[in-house]
Amino acid sequence: LKELLQRNEGLSNEQRFHLARLLTRVTWGPFLASGVVHADPHPGNFMLLKDGSLGVLDFGAIKQMSDGWTFANRRLFTSMLGGPPYDCIGDSQKAGMVFDDPAAARPFVQAVLDIACRAATAEDFDYGAAAINRDMRNHFLKNALSLGAIRPPKEAMQFFRCVAGMNQNLENLGAKGPFRAVFAELFQ
């Protein structure tokens, strides 16, 4: 994948979306199925195989997430795809998040989720123009005091590495297409 990203100017949008779909499936499929994340998803850890599938390398940063974390994030995905609303504080607490002042944290946490969920809530999404990681970083920097009043469980760092790494790969790929449908496929 690293070589493809380095020379990605020769890829058609269909090829970019195909790769992005594969990356999304290998990142989110194991998590949604069994709570497992690959927390080192840099391009060198994925290989496009001759049959068009994607091989995953380097399993040293695989993490089994807790049942509470997995359940709460599955609920978030279900909500993004039109299911029952996600309670950004109550469901986050079920995932192990601790808030000094839950009411004060709500706007900050909701904004984090709004940024993080863009691709799954839009019919068509352009990762090349999205800058999810940049927007998330800017939100954290502007709200550092709010961030300091939230204590995520230790496992959250591995999860966030997984998510940020996948977003970076898709942004570098410049992928665009119906990502909401890709996320919906993961629940079938």
Side-chain angles (χ1 to χ4, degrees), residues 48-114:
L48 187 62
L49 303 175
K50 290 180 182 181
D51 68 356
S53 63
L54 196 64
V56 182
L57 308 170
D58 188 1
F59 293 93
I62 297 296
K63 171 72 175 161
Q64 175 71 52
M65 306 304 284
S66 70
D67 290 343
W69 185 270
T70 302
F71 175 79
N73 281 282
R74 281 188 191 133
R75 283 243 326 102
L76 175 59
F77 271 90
T78 302
S79 177
M80 289 186 304
L81 297 171
Y86 186 83
D87 176 7
C88 72
I89 296 299
D91 285 326
S92 294
Q93 288 172 322
K94 290 174 187 169
M97 303 288 274
V98 177
F99 303 99
D100 290 348
D101 181 348
R106 183 174 296 279
F108 174 82
V109 173
Q110 188 60 57
V112 167
L113 295 176
D114 290 345

Side-chain angles (χ1 to χ4, degrees), residues 1-11 15-16 19 43 47-48 54 172-173:
L1 182 63
K2 184 177 180 180
E3 292 173 15
L4 281 172
L5 289 176
Q6 288 173 341
R7 60 177 177 86
N8 97 33
E9 68 276 347
L11 297 175
Q15 290 169 314
R16 291 171 199 268
L19 286 170
M47 181 183 303
L48 187 62
L54 196 64
N172 289 341
L173 188 58

Side-chain angles (χ1 to χ4, degrees), residues 1 16-32 36 41 46 54 56 77 80 119-120 125 127 162-163 165-167 169-171 173 175 177-186:
L1 182 63
R16 291 171 199 268
F17 181 71
H18 173 73
L19 286 170
R21 184 175 172 273
L22 292 174
L23 279 167
T24 302
R25 292 183 65 82
V26 303
T27 301
W28 289 113
F31 174 72
L32 293 171
V36 173
F46 298 100
L54 196 64
V56 182
F77 271 90
M80 289 186 304
F125 190 76
Y127 270 99
C162 171
V163 173
M166 187 198 75
N167 285 338
N169 288 336
L170 298 180
E171 288 175 12
L173 188 58
F179 284 96
R180 181 179 174 85
V182 174
F183 285 106
E185 287 173 7
L186 294 171

Side-chain angles (χ1 to χ4, degrees), residues 33 43 53 57 121 147 160:
S53 63
L57 308 170
T121 56
L147 187 59
F160 297 147

